[in-house]
Amino acid sequence: MPIVWQCPLGVSAYLALGQQIEIGEKACPECGQRLGGWGGYWRWLRRPGTERLWIRRSRCSRCRRSHALLPDFLLERRLDEVEVIGRAVALSISGGLGMRPLAERLGVPMTTARDWRRRFQVNALMMAAALVAVAVHLDPAPVLLSAAEHEIVALEALGAVWHRARTRFGKRVPELWSFWSLISDEHALGTNRSPPYPPRSGAVCITRIP
Ligand SMILES: [Zn+2]
């Protein structure tokens, strides 16, 4: 199970560090025990010129599980930056832009772009419900959602959570799409094999923000 961590570095700085990447102390999501280092692995990142980047692993000495420590500019099992994915999905939903022209513009395979949108669609309702719960935890004012369309509601709910988090914590809260990755763990854009987007606890999400 990956742990998404808030990475203060830009992607280029992260890449430049190679295996020297340092991550602060993390707690085991299962039992709260401090995690120890446990090597890492290389994975690919698609950017202009595909690159490899180092993902640290850590292991809990109590429950003996290991966790990949995923920087928040990535999503589990996705080759592209979350910023690229999130913007493309949002553009296709609210801008009505087809995934084909978007894929061409981004230089990603059509099937990849279509899959982003499909997964977002599958998750949209659960995601919206979970995000509204976090938004209300941050600020009890009701969350105003304008549409009946699940995907639009999910985008609006994400915007509301992010806005409330920024109001409360300021610039410590990362940019919108990294924030999405951070509070969603591996579920932001799960694959066919992933469980559905789980309910989010506002309190737990807030502890993610340093
Ligand atoms: Zn543990």
Side-chain angles (χ1 to χ4, degrees):
M1 176 173 144
I3 298 173
V4 181
W5 62 282
Q6 188 171 350
C7 177
L9 304 170
V11 183
S12 304
Y14 186 105
L15 284 165
L17 281 169
Q19 286 177 277
Q20 306 308 313
I21 196 80
E22 283 299 333
I23 298 167
E25 277 189 6
K26 296 279 169 259
C28 172
E30 315 289 333
C31 72
Q33 171 89 356
R34 193 172 65 86
L35 293 170
W38 210 53
Y41 60 93
W42 292 103
R43 63 156 269 176
W44 294 103
L45 171 68
R46 179 163 40 211
R47 332 175 71 205
T50 301
E51 313 233 23
R52 274 192 337 159
L53 85 178
W54 183 251
I55 301 293
R56 277 212 178 282
R57 292 190 72 85
S58 61
R59 187 162 181 262
C60 176
S61 58
R62 193 181 291 158
C63 43
R64 303 196 168 273
R65 289 207 190 167
S66 74
H67 303 272
L69 300 173
L70 207 62
D72 59 3
F73 56 79
L74 293 178
L75 293 174
E76 174 72 348
R77 297 197 194 93
R78 301 282 167 178
L79 206 51
D80 299 271
E81 282 172 55
V82 65
E83 176 88 22
V84 172
I85 297 172
R87 278 192 183 175
V89 168
L91 261 174
S92 80
I93 295 169
S94 17
L97 238 97
M99 289 319 281
R100 182 183 295 278
L102 275 171
E104 279 167 13
R105 194 192 290 179
L106 296 170
V108 303
M110 172 60 189
T111 46
T112 301
R114 221 180 241 159
D115 189 52
W116 296 341
R117 176 71 190 268
R118 193 180 304 126
R119 294 309 307 176
F120 193 89
Q121 203 166 20
V122 168
N123 274 342
L125 187 59
M126 302 281 277
M127 197 192 305
L131 292 171
V132 166
V134 180
V136 170
H137 187 93
L138 283 162
D139 172 353
V143 179
L144 300 174
L145 304 167
S146 71
E149 182 77 44
H150 293 168
E151 289 174 284
I152 296 177
V153 170
L155 287 177
E156 288 181 346
L158 175 64
V161 180
W162 182 76
H163 190 78
R164 288 176 190 204
R166 270 277 165 112
T167 303
R168 185 149 157 192
F169 300 108
K171 290 280 184 188
R172 281 146 66 199
V173 174
E175 295 298 324
L176 180 71
W177 296 109
S178 290
F179 178 72
W180 178 47
S181 172
L182 187 68
I183 67 168
S184 305
D185 287 323
E186 78 271 41
H187 305 286
L189 210 64
T191 61
N192 289 328
R193 286 179 294 166
S194 338
Y197 198 99
R200 298 274 101 184
S201 147
V204 169
C205 288
I206 287 165
T207 60
R208 297 290 181 82
I209 299 161

